[in-house]
Amino acid sequence: MKKASVLLGIGILSLLLLSFAGKPECEKSKENQQELNTIADLQNNFVNEMYLTLNTEPVNIDEITFIEIEEEIDLGFNTADYLPIGFNAYQGMDFTIDDIDFTDDEEIDLGFDTSVYLPKGFNAYVGMEIELEEVIADLDIDDLLYLLEEEEIDLGFDTAKYLPEGFDAYAK
């Protein structure tokens, strides 16, 4: 009886294995391949267009029109009703080029004396003498670019308490 059940089990197992007909390619892989071919064609068009764009003549910066969009903020009430008559927020804020501090007085301590590694009498500023008045006379205040340092904003509470466990904003 034991031999008969083993033979019967082997027979059923072999029938199951033989009944599965294999296909040379999966239908999903054909769809994926078509999508990949489409994406590759789009990328090729972009690369070809990029090469055409790179071979063009340079553009004069004066020919570029810059449109600055001023976004108006609606607070839901008129702020002029709460200000004194003739109020000017910019009064006394006359700005001149002399008001800008061009020097950064912050010293960096490297933990060792750098003069030991420099030649005797080394001066990094030799040959860099300029007349400040000439530079200021040629300088236009509209040409200055002022970069703000990014600040960390403290909201006064821990945002992690309001997010799901294991939340990672930088995860893909």
Side-chain angles (χ1 to χ4, degrees):
M1 181 72 180
K2 194 174 186 181
K3 288 183 181 182
S5 63
V6 169
L7 284 175
L8 183 64
I10 290 174
I12 291 174
L13 183 63
S14 56
L15 278 175
L16 281 173
L17 291 174
L18 292 175
S19 68
F20 290 112
K23 294 182 180 177
E25 289 187 2
C26 179
E27 293 297 322
K28 287 283 187 187
S29 70
K30 285 182 184 177
E31 292 174 12
N32 289 342
Q33 189 61 38
Q34 289 173 349
E35 289 176 11
L36 290 174
N37 289 342
T38 305
I39 291 171
D41 290 342
L42 290 174
Q43 288 174 345
N44 287 339
N45 290 338
F46 175 75
V47 169
N48 293 337
E49 184 68 28
M50 183 178 66
Y51 286 130
L52 289 174
T53 304
L54 290 176
N55 292 330
T56 59
E57 293 180 17
V59 176
N60 186 357
I61 195 154
D62 297 328
E63 295 175 4
I64 298 173
T65 305
F66 177 72
I67 301 172
E68 185 174 346
I69 300 172
E70 289 188 23
E71 185 176 326
E72 191 168 317
I73 299 172
D74 182 20
L75 299 175
F77 61 91
N78 187 3
T79 56
D81 296 340
Y82 300 94
L83 297 172
I85 296 172
F87 176 78
N88 182 2
Y90 300 108
Q91 183 178 12
M93 295 181 68
D94 297 331
F95 183 74
T96 62
I97 195 75
D98 297 329
D99 295 340
I100 299 175
D101 183 19
F102 290 105
T103 58
D104 187 10
D105 297 334
E106 182 180 341
E107 280 192 29
I108 299 172
D109 182 22
L110 299 175
F112 61 92
D113 186 17
T114 56
S115 64
V116 176
Y117 301 100
L118 298 172
K120 290 181 183 176
F122 177 78
N123 185 356
Y125 301 106
V126 169
M128 298 178 71
E129 293 86 16
I130 57 171
E131 293 295 326
L132 189 59
E133 284 74 26
E134 290 177 17
V135 173
I136 291 175
D138 295 337
L139 189 63
D140 185 14
I141 193 75
D142 295 327
D143 293 339
L144 293 178
L145 176 65
Y146 181 73
L147 301 175
L148 294 174
E149 292 183 16
E150 193 172 309
E151 294 181 18
E152 186 173 322
I153 299 173
D154 182 20
L155 300 175
F157 62 94
D158 185 16
T159 56
K161 293 179 183 176
Y162 301 98
L163 297 171
E165 264 185 51
F167 177 79
D168 184 11
Y170 300 108
K172 290 185 178 181

